[in-house]
Amino acid sequence: MTDEAKKEEQQAPKAEAAAPVLHVAPGPHAFSTSLTTRRMMFDVLLALVPVFAASLWQFRLYTVIQLVICMVSALLAETLFTAMRKKPILIRDGSALVTGAILAFSLPAKAPWYVGAVGSFVAIGIGKVIFGGLGQNIFNPAMLGRAFVMIAFPAFLGATAYVVPDAAIDGLSRATPLTTLKQLGQNTGLLPLFLGTTNGSLGETSALACLLGGAYLCLRRTASWEIPAGIVSAVAAIAGLMQWLAPVAGWTVLHELFSGALLFGAFYIATDPVTSPLTPRGKFVFGLGVGALVMLIRKLSGYPEGVMFAVLIMNAVVPLINQWTIPTPVGGVVLEKKS
Amino acid sequence: MGKLLEMTAVLTGLPGTGDFARGVHPPERKTLAQDAAIEVMPPPAQVVIPLLQHTGAPCEPVVKVKDEVKLGDKIGDATGFISAPVHASINGSVLMPSVTTLPNGRHVKTIPIKAGPDQLAGDALKSEVLGGNWPTSGLERFAPDQIATAARDAGLVGLGGAAFPTHVKLVRNEKRPVDTLLVNGCECEPYLTSDYRLMLEFPGPVVTGALLAAQAAGAKQIVVAIEDNKPAAADAMRKAAEGTAVKIAVVHTKYPMGGERQVIPAVLKREVPTGGLPLDVGVVVINVATAAALARAVVRGKALTHRVVTVTGAGIARPKNVLVPVGISYQELIDFCGGLTPDAARVIAGGPMMGFTVADLKVPVTKGTSGVTVLTHADLARVDETACVRCGRCVDVCPLHLVPTKLALASKVEDWDLAKKYHLLACCECGCCAYTCPAAIPLVQLMRKGKAQMPR
Ligand code: SF4
Ligand code: SF4
């Protein structure tokens, strides 16, 4: 044995002996390295690439500008708020970047810079940090930020805010598909909805891009497939029922699924692990709830789209869902004390 | 050899699917030691025999300082039903009793024995413990209670790690009849290969022990469960079991398949009730090494004095499977395997998933020590703990379908109502949740804390 080995041999056990709990070192001593919190956040950013590409194609520079505004503001906000609370700065977990990006993709192209900035500050400050940081918040931070700016600046986020008559970009001069449907009773073709050559929030227009990125997230298990599955099932079921009861010519279940923020919300927003339930069954129930609420808002309220409110409302129900879906352990519940 | 992952589950005539829901697939790392044939450790100068090596009541010493003892002599006697005597594992003289702290944190009294001049060693020892002929017929001459008594007298405990006294499982209970004896050859801990080598090199005593255990417990059906990453062991066992009632079931390779609550459903499609025992569903489970030790105890009348230990990991110079006397120190065992490498960082009694770190290499190897795994700094490199992101991955892998993150939270904030609601006591501490957690939360540590503190 080398001298070094001897030294190690004496040192290594000593280092262990200094572990917090006397002589009981925390096991397991093996861990999966395929996934870390940071990697999960990076996965989301990676999965947003197709959405970014589709958005860039449709809205050009607007996409880049909104993204930069929101992501930079989110980072600034996180630094500022965590410093104020004298908490260690956790920027490295990447969650602020994800929040910023999701917020940017849910804004209209022409929203002024301060909409994104205020939205990001609210998302991080109220949405996350005051709850105690990543993992503690109840509401999806990006949606909370968006809800705030929607109320604070209705003119920039209402249905009309999406339309820019003199825009050089063709898509921008028309109202969003759901607005045209609601107000004018006009339909949009399935292909434009699928590819994303329609107007809408920056990240929501292309169903194809959302499906691509969403598939990646689900395959990586960074997003739980049960949530989008629940949302899509609920929307398809309700839309199918409505089509059967009160058909609208040229507007099918697929139109309902591909329009608005439905797929973007299903894959990128509702799947936020922190604000969704823990068990697979709970996740599916959560998805069903979001889907049902989206349809309710789309059809019965004054708003053309309801993903944001649906997610926020269901976020509030998550603790209840968790309660209802406590799984039965293998072997049943403990009836008597262990002897 | 070295063929891994070639077979899939084969369970002819058994109701199970060979799998259980959830669980994890940690890197197996078995190649380090799987091809090293069992070696016999040279007789040590001294052994230190703990008076408590099992789950249950400690032993009372029955020898005095300076007594001469022979290999297999009883030196500590069991004090209760759930207890097992301990025996001298070498010839020699008794030294002053002392105290040690085992890796699992228990302080125990020990009896050190200084080696005398002549010892059973080398091949002679190996053939006495494992080699030679093992009968598979004519075993009816051993009455059921005779087998259970032999197990008790030999100090037999589960050699898979939990070290539960074996005779307790073998004693017949009128109220709870047993129909199946399940011999557990699922060595699901990464790195460890001692059961694998035993089945491969010495399937004889395993088969004999299985037949005897079934006879004692009154089980009609005998099944040896082996994971599909050990095809050579399954072949060897099949050959040895030819013409006997022992069936071989090949199950999927997944952690923690070796757990009773996983292997019983996988093979027999029966669920052990939470807080209950395999006995509640008519099953007795013993480990393959325990079966071999039972054969030795009944057929040869020898106590449990030796066992096969895998010494492995990137932190060990020459990984081996070693036949060692109980009571030898970790230090000697590690030295026999070429010592630690310079980057060795953590010595673990057992495997990395459920093993405990060894704080002091002077502690003795006990009956329940199935392996010594030495990990390096590189093996242990890990990201820092972050907050729980409530991703639910721990839920997705818990083989008992618990909600680990809630359990961890409950024990952190000492909310015992919450802990009860989420069934903290059902947790078997398998470590799947902590293995998987992307936030690197020490979930198992929190479970243990909670289970220890929770008012019952
Ligand atoms: S795996 Fe870890 S981070 Fe994910 S829910 Fe469980 S405890 Fe939380
Ligand atoms: S340690 Fe307990 S909670 Fe974690 S996976 Fe195993 S049984 Fe489930």
Side-chain angles (χ1 to χ4, degrees):
Chain A
M1 201 197 302
T2 64
D3 278 358
E4 246 182 321
K6 265 190 197 137
K7 222 193 285 158
E8 259 302 327
E9 179 188 294
Q10 283 154 3
Q11 275 168 5
K14 278 213 192 90
E16 286 307 319
V21 187
L22 191 68
H23 297 299
V24 182
H29 312 281
F31 15 76
S32 162
T33 43
S34 75
L35 198 90
T36 59
T37 308
R38 258 181 97 183
R39 176 65 212 248
M40 284 176 84
M41 298 304 163
F42 180 74
D43 265 346
V44 179
L45 293 178
L46 205 65
L48 281 169
V49 168
V51 172
F52 175 70
S55 181
L56 200 63
W57 180 40
Q58 172 71 352
F59 301 106
R60 311 292 150 135
L61 256 179
Y62 289 120
T63 302
V64 181
I65 295 168
Q66 275 314 1
L67 267 177
V68 169
I69 291 172
C70 291
M71 287 168 83
V72 168
S73 315
L75 278 181
L76 272 178
E78 172 133 311
T79 315
L80 196 75
F81 287 118
T82 44
M84 268 162 56
R85 296 184 77 240
K86 301 207 171 53
K87 282 241 169 180
I89 294 176
L90 293 172
I91 285 181
R92 283 177 36 235
D93 67 26
S95 61
L97 284 178
V98 170
T99 303
I102 301 275
L103 178 65
F105 280 125
S106 64
L107 293 178
K110 283 285 267 189
W113 67 269
Y114 49 85
V115 170
V118 170
S120 300
F121 266 75
V122 172
I124 301 292
I126 297 178
K128 223 172 84 186
V129 177
I130 60 166
F131 283 101
L134 178 65
Q136 308 299 313
N137 47 304
I138 293 168
F139 296 104
N140 183 307
M143 288 305 100
L144 204 71
R146 190 179 189 277
F148 182 85
V149 288
M150 187 154 171
I151 293 160
F153 313 108
F156 297 124
L157 277 104
T160 46
Y162 284 87
V163 191
V164 187
D166 56 344
I169 298 164
D170 192 38
L172 273 178
S173 56
R174 277 175 277 130
T176 68
L178 284 174
T179 308
T180 26
L181 176 75
K182 189 150 217 157
Q183 294 174 351
L184 310 170
Q186 285 171 7
N187 300 325
T188 311
L190 210 50
L191 194 66
L193 286 175
F194 186 64
L195 294 178
T197 52
T198 57
N199 200 352
S201 299
L202 288 170
E204 70 180 32
T205 52
S206 170
L208 174 65
C210 293
L211 286 170
L212 280 177
Y216 170 77
L217 282 180
C218 292
L219 285 176
R220 285 273 308 160
R221 278 301 270 163
T222 292
S224 308
W225 63 268
E226 290 89 346
I227 295 174
I231 296 178
V232 168
S233 315
V235 170
I238 297 171
L241 196 70
M242 291 183 60
Q243 195 182 333
W244 182 56
L245 294 175
V248 175
W251 190 260
T252 64
V253 174
L254 277 183
H255 287 84
E256 204 71 70
L257 288 173
F258 289 172
S259 63
L262 193 92
L263 289 179
F264 184 72
F267 286 109
Y268 297 94
I269 301 174
T271 51
D272 169 29
V274 177
T275 55
S276 58
L278 288 165
T279 65
R281 208 152 52 96
K283 286 169 178 169
F284 189 73
V285 170
F286 174 83
L288 287 179
V290 171
L293 284 173
V294 167
M295 288 307 283
L296 198 74
I297 297 169
R298 277 188 184 178
K299 299 302 165 195
L300 299 180
S301 79
Y303 291 105
E305 175 59 309
V307 170
M308 176 186 80
F309 286 124
V311 168
L312 288 173
I313 293 168
M314 287 310 290
N315 284 162
V317 188
V318 164
L320 273 180
I321 297 180
N322 278 337
Q323 289 269 335
W324 295 331
T325 55
I326 298 177
T328 314
V330 173
V333 294
V334 202
L335 292 175
E336 41 187 346
K337 291 179 190 175
K338 271 212 286 193
S339 51
Chain B
M1 245 307 300
K3 50 174 185 177
L4 287 171
L5 290 171
E6 265 186 22
M7 300 196 295
T8 44
V10 185
L11 296 108
T12 326
L14 292 162
T17 60
D19 205 358
F20 62 91
R22 312 194 184 180
V24 294
H25 293 277
E28 295 176 20
R29 304 269 153 80
K30 302 243 185 207
T31 44
L32 282 169
Q34 73 179 14
D35 295 339
I38 297 173
E39 279 181 56
V40 183
M41 175 123 187
Q46 181 187 328
V47 291
V48 176
I49 314 276
L51 286 168
L52 177 63
Q53 304 184 32
H54 48 263
T55 311
C59 293
E60 280 302 323
V62 294
V63 289
K64 297 186 303 296
V65 178
K66 293 211 182 111
D67 277 2
E68 290 294 319
V69 289
K70 291 240 159 314
L71 169 70
D73 283 354
K74 191 176 346 181
I75 58 172
D77 206 357
T79 48
F81 178 59
I82 302 185
S83 182
V86 295
H87 301 80
S89 57
I90 54 171
N91 301 326
S93 52
V94 175
L95 300 175
M96 272 296 282
S98 68
V99 173
T100 189
T101 304
L102 296 179
N104 64 10
R106 294 187 81 157
H107 297 274
V108 296
K109 283 199 202 122
T110 60
I111 298 184
I113 300 170
K114 188 167 173 286
D118 51 293
Q119 300 288 350
L120 188 61
D123 286 345
L125 176 67
K126 190 163 165 181
S127 91
E128 191 271 294
V129 178
L130 297 166
N133 284 324
W134 296 95
T136 53
S137 58
L139 296 172
E140 302 77 38
R141 65 193 149 106
F142 301 107
D145 53 340
Q146 193 186 346
I147 298 171
T149 310
R152 180 181 167 115
D153 291 347
L156 229 63
V157 302
L159 298 185
F164 188 78
T166 306
H167 68 272
V168 180
K169 294 186 185 179
L170 297 182
V171 171
R172 288 207 193 177
N173 180 336
E174 293 303 319
K175 278 190 233 118
R176 285 187 284 189
V178 169
D179 62 44
T180 303
L181 177 87
L182 193 58
V183 183
N184 198 345
C186 301
E187 198 167 38
C188 62
E189 271 281 357
Y191 290 92
L192 304 190
T193 52
S194 60
D195 289 348
Y196 169 73
R197 289 310 305 185
L198 178 71
M199 290 188 280
L200 187 66
E201 295 181 57
F202 301 101
V206 178
V207 172
T208 303
L211 292 166
L212 288 167
Q215 201 168 308
K220 290 279 158 303
Q221 176 168 256
I222 311 172
V223 187
V224 183
I226 303 171
E227 292 165 297
D228 61 6
N229 64 350
K230 306 175 184 60
D235 284 346
M237 285 297 300
R238 224 175 256 130
K239 229 174 256 149
E242 230 160 68
T244 71
V246 177
K247 281 190 249 180
I248 311 298
V250 178
V251 296
H252 287 292
T253 303
K254 196 204 264 181
Y255 181 86
M257 184 58 90
E260 289 177 341
R261 281 163 199 282
Q262 283 72 46
V263 73
I264 294 175
V267 175
L268 300 168
K269 227 182 178 136
R270 297 183 199 169
E271 240 176 53
V272 181
T274 305
L277 293 170
L279 197 57
D280 297 330
V281 289
V283 185
V284 166
V285 183
I286 63 171
N287 163 272
V288 282
T290 316
L294 179 68
R296 183 179 174 224
V298 176
V299 177
R300 299 188 176 168
K302 302 287 185 190
L304 173 58
T305 54
H306 287 72
R307 68 156 301 147
V308 182
V309 177
T310 306
V311 185
T312 183
I316 278 284
R318 285 191 298 280
K320 288 179 181 178
N321 298 289
V322 197
L323 182 68
V324 302
V326 168
I328 190 173
S329 73
Y330 278 83
Q331 183 70 68
E332 275 171 285
L333 186 51
I334 287 169
D335 287 347
F336 180 66
C337 298
L340 300 174
T341 61
D343 54 345
R346 194 178 288 183
V347 177
I348 298 160
M353 293 300 287
M354 288 187 84
F356 292 94
T357 44
V358 178
D360 172 4
L361 293 183
K362 287 199 288 295
V363 297
V365 165
T366 63
K367 295 173 185 175
T369 310
S370 50
V372 178
T373 310
V374 185
L375 300 179
T376 61
H377 291 287
D379 291 327
L380 295 165
R382 192 177 196 188
V383 295
D384 294 336
E385 183 181 340
T386 68
C388 168
V389 286
R390 294 193 234 167
C391 65
R393 294 228 170 192
C394 49
V395 181
D396 296 344
V397 297
C398 175
L400 295 177
H401 299 193
L402 307 175
V403 185
T405 172
K406 286 281 182 193
L407 298 177
L409 176 76
S411 62
K412 201 181 218 163
V413 302
E414 307 191 354
D415 179 343
W416 307 128
D417 286 338
L418 188 67
K420 272 209 193 91
K421 199 146 90 196
Y422 281 91
H423 318 294
L424 176 61
L425 290 182
C427 168
C428 64
E429 298 173 24
C430 67
C432 290
C433 51
Y435 169 81
T436 309
C437 177
I441 297 169
L443 293 161
V444 176
Q445 200 186 5
L446 289 165
M447 309 298 173
R448 287 202 188 112
K449 172 187 145 145
K451 281 162 84 174
Q453 294 181 359
M454 184 169 168
R456 308 217 178 161

